[in-house]
Amino acid sequence: MSGFGPPLGRYLTLSFILLIILLMMVGFILKMGKRSRGNDGPNPPPIADSGIASAPANIPPSPVVAESQAPSEPPDMKSEQMEIARLLARILDALRHGKQAEADEALARLTRIFGSGRDHAPAGIAAILEFLRSGQDASTGKGFVVGKDGNLDESTTLRVYLMDQLGRLSREAGSGAAVEVARETLQQFGSPDEWAISMRNIAWLDPASRGFLQERVNAMLNHAEWRDQPTAGMLESFDVIVHSCAMVTVPQLAQWVAATDSPLARASGVALDRLATSSALALTTLLNQQPDLLSAAPLERADLFAHADLANADQRAQLENYMLRPDVNARERKKFFSGLIQTGRFVSNNLVTPYVPPETPVEAGQRLETLTKTVNQWLRDPRFTGLTDELAALGTKVNRIAEEMDADEK
Amino acid sequence: MAFPSHGFRNSLAPRGGKFTHMIQKNARPWILGTASRVLLSCILGLPWVAADFAAAQASPKSVADLRAKNPYKFVGRLTFFFDEDEYVGSATVVKPYSLLTAGHTLYSEGSGWSSDILFERSYDYGSSAATASASTAFILGGYAAYVDRGKSETNAGFARDMGGIVCFSRPAGGLYAAWQQGDKFLTGKNYNMSLGYGAQVHSGEELLRSSPTRAYSKVTAGFYENRSYGIEGGMSGGPVFTKAGDKWYVCAVNVSGPGGNVINRDAGVRVIDKDAASLIKKNLK
């Protein structure tokens, strides 16, 4: 073992380390002092070297700016707001002139500023509101990509990016700013991607908004111009249907899901599939009340019914009504019975709805046990006499799985 | 040229159907892509055609004798139905109760979720080490999966083509193959091999292996291609193993290959990237 050497050497090493730490602390204090002076003084913050330092002066003041100057705000909020405004002007300029790398770098810097903590949220909110009310915008050259917890990983335009940040900052600061902007945005059919992020912000910040969101998302689906050329933002908005349990949209979704090779078909399929899990009783009741729904996509309809919970008496009653429907043929029932054994789930980041942990193997075993009991009851139930062969085939499959589970335990 | 090598129909099943339609649709961009590469190769004087055909493992060959050894023992045949038609695919045990496969073996527009999914580990002409039925199928992709940042539906389809299955029982008694996230195992110098139950030229009754002589190239998002070897229908969902040190890891799944009886080039795979890793970690058991 070589160790640290003799005691004198160890003493010198420790002294040297302490000296370095001391110097670093002095440097940090000096730097903080300089930054503080810069913020309070007349000189612009470092971002002024962007070459468009005068840009914020061109943006007309808004009521929000006036609010932000209230005496209770932190002393450096105005400077932070100006720094963000300058950065936004720089990004806008870069995007409009095709300087993608410069725009990306500045956007990354802006994202870091917006993510720097709750104390900085008011300045961020004020700067964003000021920019949004200026009416300026530019394409980012990127997609509409939903990331973790409904935050956007990519935004199609600068405004969409800012509305995304506004929602997050408003949630952080307990501000109603994002809801105010969102409600204003949702009054007119301007941009589907802005609608998408607006509906998310309302879902995040206004718990009593379910009825409003149901109405707005339905209006979005029925806006001909948008549905003819659906953007990724519009498709991601289908998550609002699931969040708000918008049964009013089901007839439209059912129509689209039957049209293969269409982005709307995929989005509708995912939304219906998730509604079948999150609002099983409401959806199965509706589908039984309106037998024409999904008559052109019977196998998908079978999947939706199969998501229901047999252990829930109301849901089981809807499944039994479905099994006995004269318009449901053996082919569809076969798919339904298979779906009672094996179900499916789409995995994605969603605008609004949270991640739901999947069934555990123990829960899957319990579900199979419930299915076994139910099938035995159905086989004894005179209402299902006509389905005896189909139910016996289902029972055979369940028995085979039980054997697999037994073999695994041995 | 390429098509989803998904789930080939069991030889007993009738021909035709929705998958045939998908094959036609997905083939178009690849014809153009390959033609462009041929032209480029001619200009640059690269002997790419000769190299492709010269590779020893360019075409899938039987490795049935190895099926009980690591890592082959974690691979199995996957059978499933879309509507009334039965298909053959492949999958790998990656968690005690769970399998990794291609998304298109699990869901199809028009038919919904595939049904009666059965995994037969180390399957060989009617015998297997274990069978396990699916309790839940997971596929990567949500509402906007067919748009994928403005790129074509075809590439987006392959880029999202990853799925997982949780079974009622443990297919390998609780053991499973290791996996690694990241494309460095495809684009670097690691040895790779694709495994699966080819049912296009072969019978779907034995485990096959093919391996590249070059690194893979990225096509879009998580979709990678390799012209130096091929896979055939039925190998879809089977693993691409990589060897790092003396250990084997699953790093991608087979998703596409050349059309017709051409099985020695244009293998398409879906890498285990961040999204796929999240699918495995958060949803598979």
Side-chain angles (χ1 to χ4, degrees), chain A residues 91-360:
Chain A
I91 293 164
L92 190 66
D93 182 68
L95 289 173
R96 284 177 174 171
H97 292 92
K99 300 172 188 168
Q100 193 66 46
E102 187 183 329
D104 288 346
E105 183 271 325
L107 271 168
R109 186 170 165 189
L110 193 58
T111 303
R112 283 197 297 276
I113 293 173
F114 287 144
S116 57
R118 189 177 170 172
D119 290 346
H120 302 271
I125 290 170
I128 289 171
L129 290 176
E130 189 176 311
F131 184 89
L132 292 176
R133 285 176 182 162
S134 77
Q136 299 181 94
D137 199 11
S139 168
T140 60
K142 294 185 163 55
F144 188 101
V145 180
V146 180
K148 198 179 167 196
D149 299 327
N151 295 301
L152 294 190
D153 279 351
E154 289 183 22
S155 310
T156 43
T157 67
L158 187 53
R159 285 177 66 86
V160 170
Y161 165 81
L162 290 172
M163 290 164 87
D164 175 43
Q165 294 293 336
L166 182 63
R168 204 182 49 72
L169 291 171
S170 293
R171 195 147 74 157
E172 208 170 86
S175 162
V179 170
E180 196 182 321
V181 170
R183 285 190 178 270
E184 200 178 314
T185 303
L186 293 170
Q187 280 176 10
Q188 292 179 334
F189 292 102
S191 147
D193 292 358
E194 288 185 19
W195 266 52
I197 209 69
S198 294
M199 287 193 283
R200 185 210 64 181
N201 286 349
I202 288 177
W204 273 5
L205 295 156
D206 183 359
S209 61
R210 199 166 118 164
F212 175 73
L213 288 173
Q214 287 174 351
E215 188 274 318
R216 286 289 79 191
V217 76
N218 194 38
M220 182 185 220
L221 300 191
N222 287 297
H223 187 57
E225 194 184 323
W226 288 358
R227 71 184 184 196
D228 287 348
Q229 297 287 328
T231 64
M234 179 177 179
L235 299 172
E236 294 290 1
S237 297
F238 281 49
D239 197 46
V240 177
I241 296 168
V242 183
H243 164 78
S244 65
C245 187
M247 288 300 150
V248 67
T249 64
V250 170
Q252 180 65 80
L253 300 181
Q255 203 179 326
W256 280 334
V257 86
T260 51
D261 299 337
S262 154
L264 287 171
R266 171 58 178 246
S268 301
V270 176
L272 284 170
D273 203 78
R274 287 176 173 163
L275 271 178
T277 305
S278 64
S279 308
L281 183 58
L283 184 66
T284 51
T285 304
L286 179 68
L287 293 177
N288 277 335
Q289 284 169 347
Q290 298 184 37
D292 284 348
L293 291 177
L294 288 165
S295 57
L299 298 179
E300 276 105 331
R301 180 167 62 187
D303 285 339
L304 301 182
F305 275 97
H307 278 305
D309 182 3
L310 276 176
N312 178 303
D314 291 336
Q315 292 182 35
R316 175 174 160 171
Q318 288 302 330
L319 297 190
E320 291 174 346
N321 290 341
Y322 168 70
M323 286 161 60
L324 293 168
R325 272 169 50 174
D327 62 314
V328 174
N329 62 24
R331 172 180 164 237
E332 183 175 345
R333 269 195 309 273
K334 187 180 177 189
K335 184 82 192 297
F336 164 69
F337 287 141
S338 295
L340 291 176
I341 296 173
Q342 169 226 309
T343 186
R345 254 173 84 161
F346 295 94
V347 176
S348 62
N349 291 316
N350 306 319
L351 260 187
V352 189
T353 56
Y355 164 77
V356 178
E359 182 183 66
T360 64

Side-chain angles (χ1 to χ4, degrees), chain B residues 125-200:
Chain B
Y125 287 96
S127 70
S128 63
T131 61
S133 296
S135 65
T136 312
F138 297 89
I139 63 162
L140 203 57
Y143 308 100
Y146 274 27
V147 175
D148 198 47
R149 308 175 194 202
K151 295 190 175 67
S152 78
E153 289 186 15
T154 303
N155 286 342
F158 288 128
R160 296 278 182 190
D161 203 352
M162 180 72 81
I165 298 169
V166 179
C167 301
F168 283 102
S169 57
R170 296 172 301 173
L175 301 176
Y176 50 91
W179 56 273
Q180 286 282 0
Q181 175 188 339
D183 69 356
K184 65 180 179 182
F185 302 104
L186 294 178
T187 57
K189 292 183 177 175
N190 293 64
Y191 174 78
N192 297 110
M193 62 178 182
S194 280
L195 301 178
Y197 286 81
Q200 183 179 352

Side-chain angles (χ1 to χ4, degrees), chain B residues 23 30 64 166 188 195 200 209-210 239 253 265 269 284:
Chain B
I23 288 166
W30 286 91
V166 179
L195 301 178
Q200 183 179 352
R209 177 182 69 192
S210 57
V253 297
R265 56 184 167 82
V269 303
L284 303 189

